[in-house]
């Protein structure tokens, strides 16, 4: 990451700055300014720099490094005063105006404040760029993970990571809370679309995203820290309930949910985020066996472990921190607490726990060693400011072309009776459905806002616009949202239906998994005209459509394509033949959930199913 650092002419200037007395926060003298060969000397090995810095840090310096407030609840002057180590933007938390430039200004503001503290330890800034830099207006949005699982193209996923890292780098954000390596076992789960698939091999293969994000080596050009999440078993909860309980023998937990994290550690992932969920009734945020003994010792993970958002303060099932919760989480191996608003209380409780010995100083030092190591590796001490040279990559034509390719590769053709697809460019085509001309619907959750929303929420190409571009000059492409106006003069009708945006537990399904009435009515109108009906489903998971499928002539699962809807049209018109294959088993009936490969249940479509043309 070539960051246009605050160009300090020489170490001497730095030493001068360091010598300036700083307001001690809670006691603890500012140690002598570092000489050459100190942690500020980038020629030294990282472990030496960490050791030198650690030796200079007061307890409050160390507690601040372990604290991650959300941007809305911390001021730059707080970052200086409390030695805060990291700030995050939670889903949809953006500066105003929401432009890439104002993101870079915001980032630099927090970073300058961090550098104003005596030891000048830079912050690392985290965000959920989980399908591109989704919080940022105008960013390129790629298919959500389930679509990339259907594409089964690890090299493509690496390229997506690299493109996402470039767009992040321009805005300063240097830590991505991605990839999600969950193994989604129950499609009722609201985060199914954040999974690459129902078997561990798929998310394990897509850990190439880590290499794309971090680069060949952390700290290279446009390199950001990746996060393997959510450790461990978040996709295996009872009933697919988000943040629920995964009840499984250790052998099953290790066989199904651990392999993607083992692969992520092999690929050098810099951070791991702990799951809100529990394993056999024990909250992951206090599971010292799985975090300390398995992740850090057995798998050899040397990066740092971050909690999920306010994940620590839910350990007792009640809102709000207790000192016991803080001690339990930190002693279990959590190195940084994503504590959103109540971060002063977190620091106070942790200081008390250290002072009374509940949390050993060695645990605090280990956490700081891990955090500082990743900051040094990332090059933050040398290049702390946003690299605005990359601002021009945000939403760039090259990135959108990559996203369009990913959309096309992720399409899964599940039915094509009579070869109604591919459409002919001369065809008279009638397009309908709530998802046809709606960027927000096709992008899904984690888009501009946490939950996402229908409507023109960001820049891109809708599926209808893609169809219009793909159709020839002599063709007719008509559109009505509910199908009104269709008649038998058309060669084909395309209904783009499916789910409205959601994220996390808001997407949990406890009742049926059917297409809703509006979509079924739209399809019915098209069918009544007598023309062949192509159903394109924009959804984050399989839905219960077996009883409707016989009425459809063709069926394409588009997943959640992101900003480049033209990739769907590329497949509908045959510019790209469909190659996508199901990353999850498609139920015959919602009562089959959870349904997965090898469980003996008879699905509508098996894992790996997908048709192509001709
Ligand atoms: C959320 C999610 C996690 C995300 C974090 C920060 O609740 O569980 O995936 O990275 O908070 O937004």
């Amino acid at each position: 990451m070539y960051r246009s650092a605050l160009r300090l002419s020489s170490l001497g200037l730095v030493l001068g700055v360091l010598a300036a007395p700083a307001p001690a926060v809670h006691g603890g003298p500012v140690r002598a300014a570092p000489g050459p060969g100190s942690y500020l000397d980038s020629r030294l090995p990282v472990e030496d720099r960490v050791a030198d810095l650690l030796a200079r840090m007061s307890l409050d310096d160390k507690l601040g490094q372990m604290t991650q407030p959300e941007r809305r609840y911390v001021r730059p002057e707080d970052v200086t005063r409390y030695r805060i180590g990291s700030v995050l933007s939670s889903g949809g938390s953006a500066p105003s105006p929401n432009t890439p430039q104002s993101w870079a200004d915001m980032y630099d503001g927090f970073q300058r404040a961090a550098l104003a503290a005596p030891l000048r330890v830079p912050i690392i800034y985290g965000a959920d760029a989980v399908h591109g830099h989704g919080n940022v207006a105008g960013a390129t949005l790629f298919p959500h993970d389930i679509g990339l699982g259907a594409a089964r193209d690890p090299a493509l996923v690496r390229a997506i990571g690299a493109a996402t890292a470039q767009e992040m780098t321009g805005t300063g954000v240097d830590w991505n809370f991605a990839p999600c390596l969950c193994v989604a076992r129950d499609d009722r789960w609201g985060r199914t679309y954040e999974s690459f698939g129902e078997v561990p091999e798929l998310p394990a293969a897509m850990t190439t995203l880590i290499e794309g994000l971090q680069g060949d080596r952390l700290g290279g050009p446009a390199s950001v820290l990746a996060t393997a999440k959510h450790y461990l078993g978040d996709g295996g909860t009872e009933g697919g309930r988000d943040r629920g309980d995964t009840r499984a023998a250790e052998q099953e937990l290790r066989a199904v949910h651990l392999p993607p994290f083992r692969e992520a550690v092999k690929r050098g992932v810099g951070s791991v985020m702990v799951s809100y969920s529990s394993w056999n009734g024990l909250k992951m945020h206090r599971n010292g066996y799985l975090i300390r003994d398995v992740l850090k010792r057995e798998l050899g993970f040397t990066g740092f472990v971050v909690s999920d958002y306010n994940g620590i303060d839910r350990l007792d099932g009640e809102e709000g921190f207790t000192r016991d919760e803080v001690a339990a989480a930190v002693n279990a191996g959590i190195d940084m607490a994503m504590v959103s608003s109540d971060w002063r209380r977190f620091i106070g409780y942790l200081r008390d726990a250290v002072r009374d010995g509940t949390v050993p100083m060695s645990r605090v030092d280990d956490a700081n060693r891990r955090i500082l190591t990743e900051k040094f590796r990332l090059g933050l001490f040398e290049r702390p400011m946003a690299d605005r040279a990359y601002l021009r990559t945000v939403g760039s034509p090259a990135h959108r072309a990559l996203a369009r390719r990913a959309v096309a590769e992720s399409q899964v053709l599940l039915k094509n009776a009579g070869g109604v697809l591919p459409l002919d460019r001369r065809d008279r085509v009638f397009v309908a459905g709530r998802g046809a001309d709606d960027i927000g619907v096709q992008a899904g959750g984690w888009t501009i806002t946490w939950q996402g929303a229908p409507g023109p929420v960001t820049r891109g190409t809708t599926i209808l616009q893609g169809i219009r571009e793909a159709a020839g000059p002599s063709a007719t492409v008509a559109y009505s949202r509910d199908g009104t106006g269709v008649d038998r003069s058309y060669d084909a009708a395309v209904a783009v239906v499916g789910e409205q945006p959601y994220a996390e537990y808001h997407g949990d399904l406890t009742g049926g998994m059917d297409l809703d009435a509006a979509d079924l009515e739209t399809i019915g109108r098209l069918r009544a005209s007598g023309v062949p009906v192509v159903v394109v489903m924009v959804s984050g998971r399989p839905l219960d459509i077996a009883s409707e499928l016989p009425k459809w002539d063709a069926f394409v699962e588009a997943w959640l394509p992101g900003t480049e809807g033209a990739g769907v049209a590329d497949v509908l018109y045959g510019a790209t033949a469909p190659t996508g294959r199901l990353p999850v088993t498609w139920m015959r009936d919602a009562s089959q959930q959870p349904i997965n490969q090898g469980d003996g249940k008879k699905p509508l479509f098996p894992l790996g199913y997908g048709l192509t043309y001709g």
Side-chain angles (χ1 to χ4, degrees), residues 37-118:
S38 74
Y39 69 95
L40 288 177
D41 184 343
S42 62
R43 295 164 304 178
L44 286 187
V46 167
E47 55 270 23
D48 295 353
R49 301 179 75 181
V50 171
D52 178 67
L53 178 50
L54 211 51
R56 299 169 185 276
M57 293 170 78
S58 67
L59 174 60
D60 291 297
D61 288 322
K62 296 175 182 177
L63 299 180
Q65 280 305 304
M66 299 171 68
T67 306
Q68 184 188 48
E70 209 282 335
R71 59 170 280 279
R72 290 163 291 165
Y73 306 108
V74 68
R75 301 164 303 171
E77 53 265 41
D78 299 322
V79 170
T80 308
R81 178 174 168 71
Y82 290 89
R83 318 296 203 257
I84 297 296
S86 179
V87 177
L88 86 136
S89 276
S90 58
S93 180
S96 179
N98 182 352
T99 65
Q101 292 74 10
S102 56
W103 275 82
D105 294 343
M106 172 187 72
Y107 174 89
D108 284 352
F110 280 122
Q111 193 64 286
R112 270 192 289 275
L115 299 176

Side-chain angles (χ1 to χ4, degrees), residues 90 128 177 191 229-230 243 273 276 308-309 338 504:
S90 58
D128 298 276
F177 302 137
R191 305 194 77 165
K229 75 181 186 181
H230 308 82
R243 311 184 182 189
M273 185 184 294
Y276 285 121
D308 202 335
Y309 190 88
M338 188 187 291
E504 301 192 50

Side-chain angles (χ1 to χ4, degrees), residues 469-550:
E469 284 168 19
S474 62
T476 300
V477 175
Y479 167 67
S480 90
R481 184 182 165 89
D482 66 1
T484 307
V486 68
D487 61 37
R488 43 183 323 109
S489 71
Y490 290 93
D491 300 300
V494 177
V496 184
V497 297
E499 294 189 298
Q500 296 296 296
Y502 55 82
E504 301 192 50
Y505 51 84
H506 290 275
D508 283 1
L509 291 176
T510 50
M513 301 178 74
D514 307 314
L515 271 177
D516 75 7
D519 285 339
L520 293 174
E521 281 163 27
T522 299
I523 297 169
R525 259 184 217 99
L526 300 183
R527 281 191 57 240
S529 71
V531 303
V533 174
V534 176
V535 173
V536 174
M537 195 150 95
V538 172
S539 66
R541 57 191 148 197
L543 295 179
D544 186 345
I545 51 95
S547 59
E548 297 297 321
L549 187 60

Side-chain angles (χ1 to χ4, degrees), residues 175-507:
W175 181 14
N176 193 352
F177 302 137
C180 183
L181 297 178
C182 49
V183 182
R185 304 291 287 173
D186 189 318
D187 304 337
R188 291 171 292 187
W189 186 34
R191 305 194 77 165
T192 297
Y193 70 78
E194 295 186 65
S195 173
F196 290 105
E198 70 180 32
V199 290
E201 292 80 2
L202 282 170
M206 303 311 163
T207 50
T208 49
L209 188 82
I210 294 164
E211 293 165 341
L213 290 169
Q214 298 189 161
D216 297 337
R217 61 177 178 80
L218 205 52
S223 164
V224 301
L225 199 69
T227 310
K229 75 181 186 181
H230 308 82
Y231 187 81
L232 182 65
D234 53 344
T237 60
E238 296 291 284
R241 198 165 62 80
D242 190 35
R243 311 184 182 189
D245 189 17
T246 296
R247 307 205 64 80
E250 182 168 348
Q251 186 276 334
E252 181 189 345
L253 186 79
R254 283 176 169 270
V256 174
H257 299 284
L258 193 60
F261 288 89
R262 188 185 305 277
E263 190 63 31
V265 170
K266 280 183 194 162
R267 292 184 193 268
V269 70
S271 70
V272 168
M273 185 184 294
V274 177
S275 176
Y276 285 121
S277 58
S278 303
W279 175 43
N280 293 338
L282 179 66
K283 291 263 186 188
M284 275 307 306
H285 274 71
R286 67 183 329 143
N287 194 316
Y289 168 64
L290 287 178
I291 300 173
R292 252 191 346 258
D293 304 341
V294 175
L295 176 64
K296 291 183 174 179
R297 288 203 195 103
E298 181 184 323
L299 268 58
F301 175 61
T302 58
F304 66 89
V305 175
V306 63
S307 79
D308 202 335
Y309 190 88
N310 292 342
I312 293 177
D313 77 1
R314 294 192 176 102
L315 282 179
D316 59 6
E318 305 292 326
E319 290 290 329
F321 278 117
T322 64
R323 209 186 77 178
D324 290 348
E325 286 176 322
V326 169
V330 173
N331 282 336
I334 289 178
D335 303 305
M336 182 184 286
M338 188 187 291
V339 287
S340 74
S341 60
D342 213 358
W343 52 272
R344 289 180 181 82
R345 188 192 306 270
F346 169 76
I347 291 174
Y349 283 162
L350 184 52
R351 184 186 298 110
D352 295 345
V354 171
R355 284 183 173 157
D356 73 11
T358 312
V359 173
M361 193 64 211
S362 58
R363 177 73 273 276
V364 170
D365 285 341
D366 173 48
N368 273 265
R369 201 170 287 115
R370 289 170 176 270
I371 294 165
L372 294 172
T373 296
E374 297 311 313
K375 288 185 174 182
F376 279 119
R377 290 179 61 214
L378 202 48
L380 285 177
F381 283 80
E382 285 68 49
R383 300 174 298 280
M385 312 312 280
D387 186 346
R388 295 174 190 249
Y390 283 94
L391 281 173
R392 62 169 168 267
T393 70
V394 179
S396 68
H399 289 177
R400 291 183 187 276
L402 176 66
R404 178 171 177 169
R405 182 186 137 210
V407 172
E409 285 194 30
S410 64
Q411 301 305 294
V412 182
L413 179 62
L414 293 168
K415 181 178 181 182
N416 191 19
V420 67
L421 290 178
L423 301 172
D424 186 300
R425 297 186 70 230
R426 294 160 298 181
D427 279 352
R428 285 172 49 80
V429 177
F430 194 100
V431 181
R434 293 181 301 176
D437 197 28
D438 193 315
I439 286 281
V441 166
Q442 67 188 52
W446 299 102
T447 300
I448 308 303
T449 61
W450 175 40
Q451 293 295 312
V457 298
T458 190
R459 288 189 291 284
T461 306
T462 67
I463 293 169
L464 173 64
Q465 289 167 337
I467 290 173
R468 287 199 161 119
E469 284 168 19
S474 62
T476 300
V477 175
Y479 167 67
S480 90
R481 184 182 165 89
D482 66 1
T484 307
V486 68
D487 61 37
R488 43 183 323 109
S489 71
Y490 290 93
D491 300 300
V494 177
V496 184
V497 297
E499 294 189 298
Q500 296 296 296
Y502 55 82
E504 301 192 50
Y505 51 84
H506 290 275

